[in-house]
Amino acid sequence: MSADGFTGGPPPGARADWTIDQDWDSYTPAEHEVWTTLYERQVKLLPDRACDPFLKGLDALDLHRGGIPDFARINEELTRLTGWSVVAVPGLVPDDVFFDHLANRRFPAGQFIRKPEELDYLQEPDVFHDVFGHVPMLTDPVFADYMQAYGEGGRRALGLGRLHNLARLYWYTVEFGLLETPQGLRIYGAGIVSSHAESIFALDDPSPNRLGFDLERTMRTPYRIDDFQQVYFVIPSLQSLLDATLQDFGPIYARLAQASDISIAEIVPEDRIFTRGTQAYAAAGGRLAGARCGQTEPSDR
Ligand code: HBI
Ligand code: FE
């Protein structure tokens, strides 16, 4: 069993790189209806919550044609814009497989969609979390470069035993990141933008901390896999995120090896504070007043 909990090779029917055919014709009307329900609920909510690159990407990929998008159709536009393509996978794939896809500008998206009774929470990333949540940002050239740099960094981190630090970076940016704009904080993280309740909680609720993003500090901060975050990190620009990953991680990993974790609700003196949260939601037991896709923290597998 490797560190990420996967044993052996790809599941039956999957290729060596764990990809499968999307088989778009196999989706039932009920499955398309689940997508459309989730999609319409989010697009009503997001105009003054999601960041402009996300909203532009949603339009560019024309995801509002109704029903689960055909990856082949998305890829025509996506590849033209940034060289990325969406590939179908059965669900979570091993870390090394995941990073290799990202390093080659392939985003692995779950082929399945959640059941109507799972509208508000599911364990594994499904096609709505992956394609609605992650793919629109891949139309932005800077974010597209960041995701490829992340994949290349992930391959290195695996070799150095620093995966859990890199997973935190992914979690607090790609999944749950906020962006500072002149109009206020905006969402770019897929785990937030694909969740109705967390799209509200992450921006409006007084409970969580909202702190300026710092790569090393973020890598020292554990995250929640089964509930809203207790801290959200804010970047000043997508370019600053890309720049942070283009530095040599060697010295950072050396310092991380000597540094302790920062507990999830703590604010440290160096933090730039946007919101000093009450942590009332977590203190009341949390448990997800609304919707989001869970993801297993690699160190928890
Ligand atoms: N597999 N399909 C899929 N999607 C993910 O987001 C994913 C994964 N495997 C591993 C993984 N994420 C994590 O290890 C990274 O977030 C670090
Ligand atoms: Fe995700």
Side-chain angles (χ1 to χ4, degrees):
M1 170 101 63
S2 61
D4 52 13
F6 283 89
T7 54
R15 289 178 277 269
D17 63 1
W18 286 63
T19 58
I20 57 175
D21 293 337
Q22 183 189 10
D23 192 8
W24 186 83
D25 293 327
S26 70
Y27 291 122
T28 65
E31 288 174 314
H32 283 299
E33 185 53 31
V34 169
W35 171 282
T36 301
T37 303
L38 290 167
Y39 180 88
E40 285 174 359
R41 194 170 68 164
Q42 284 311 92
V43 287
K44 275 198 210 98
L45 182 64
L46 292 176
D48 59 357
R49 289 178 181 275
C51 67
D52 287 347
F54 176 87
L55 296 170
K56 271 174 61 184
L58 210 51
D59 276 345
L61 299 178
D62 189 14
L63 294 184
H64 38 66
R65 278 218 186 132
I68 299 169
D70 183 339
F71 295 0
R73 185 180 61 72
I74 297 179
N75 288 338
E76 283 163 21
E77 182 63 10
L78 180 61
T79 305
R80 189 182 66 76
L81 287 169
T82 58
W84 274 84
S85 62
V86 185
V87 291
V89 289
L92 286 174
V93 303
D95 294 331
D96 59 334
V97 172
F98 184 64
F99 294 128
D100 191 60
H101 279 302
L102 297 188
N104 288 285
R105 296 205 173 215
R106 293 187 300 265
F107 189 81
Q111 185 272 349
F112 73 100
I113 193 156
R114 66 194 75 179
K115 302 272 175 292
E117 59 274 16
E118 289 177 310
L119 224 45
D120 282 340
Y121 185 76
L122 75 163
Q123 272 302 321
E124 293 224 349
D126 71 339
V127 66
F128 187 77
H129 168 89
D130 280 326
V131 172
F132 181 90
H134 283 283
V135 173
M137 286 300 293
L138 293 175
T139 63
D140 178 275
V142 174
F143 194 78
D145 288 354
Y146 169 67
M147 283 293 275
Q148 180 177 15
Y150 181 86
E152 290 163 350
R155 289 196 293 204
R156 280 197 299 276
L158 268 178
L160 299 170
R162 304 303 321 181
L163 175 76
H164 66 291
N165 297 118
L166 217 85
R168 289 169 175 176
L169 174 63
Y170 187 87
W171 194 266
Y172 282 120
T173 58
V174 180
E175 293 294 357
F176 292 95
L178 298 178
L179 175 68
E180 187 180 7
T181 79
Q183 294 75 35
L185 300 188
R186 292 291 183 266
I187 303 163
Y188 72 93
I192 309 176
V193 85
S194 60
S195 154
H196 189 263
E198 201 153 4
S199 295
I200 296 166
F201 180 87
L203 293 182
D204 299 354
D205 201 287
S207 180
N209 294 331
R210 296 177 184 89
L211 306 174
F213 170 80
D214 170 87
L215 184 121
E216 208 162 316
R217 190 261 196 247
T218 303
M219 285 182 158
R220 293 175 56 200
T221 311
Y223 54 84
R224 304 296 303 263
I225 58 169
D226 58 355
D227 209 336
F228 296 157
Q229 299 309 306
Q230 292 179 252
V231 56
Y232 295 94
F233 289 101
V234 182
I235 58 173
S237 67
L238 294 176
Q239 187 62 49
S240 67
L241 185 59
L242 175 59
D243 294 345
T245 37
L246 295 180
Q247 63 185 304
D248 173 12
F249 277 27
I252 294 173
Y253 286 153
R255 286 193 295 274
L256 287 171
Q258 307 305 323
S260 59
D261 280 356
I262 297 171
S263 65
I264 196 164
E266 190 182 342
I267 294 180
V268 297
E270 299 74 26
D271 281 330
R272 181 180 168 207
I273 302 172
F274 289 81
T275 309
R276 183 182 292 277
T278 64
Q279 298 299 336
Y281 172 78
R287 273 315 297 147
L288 213 70
R292 110 162 143 66
C293 156
Q295 204 139 3
T296 48
E297 180 169 10
S299 53
D300 285 3
R301 273 206 203 98

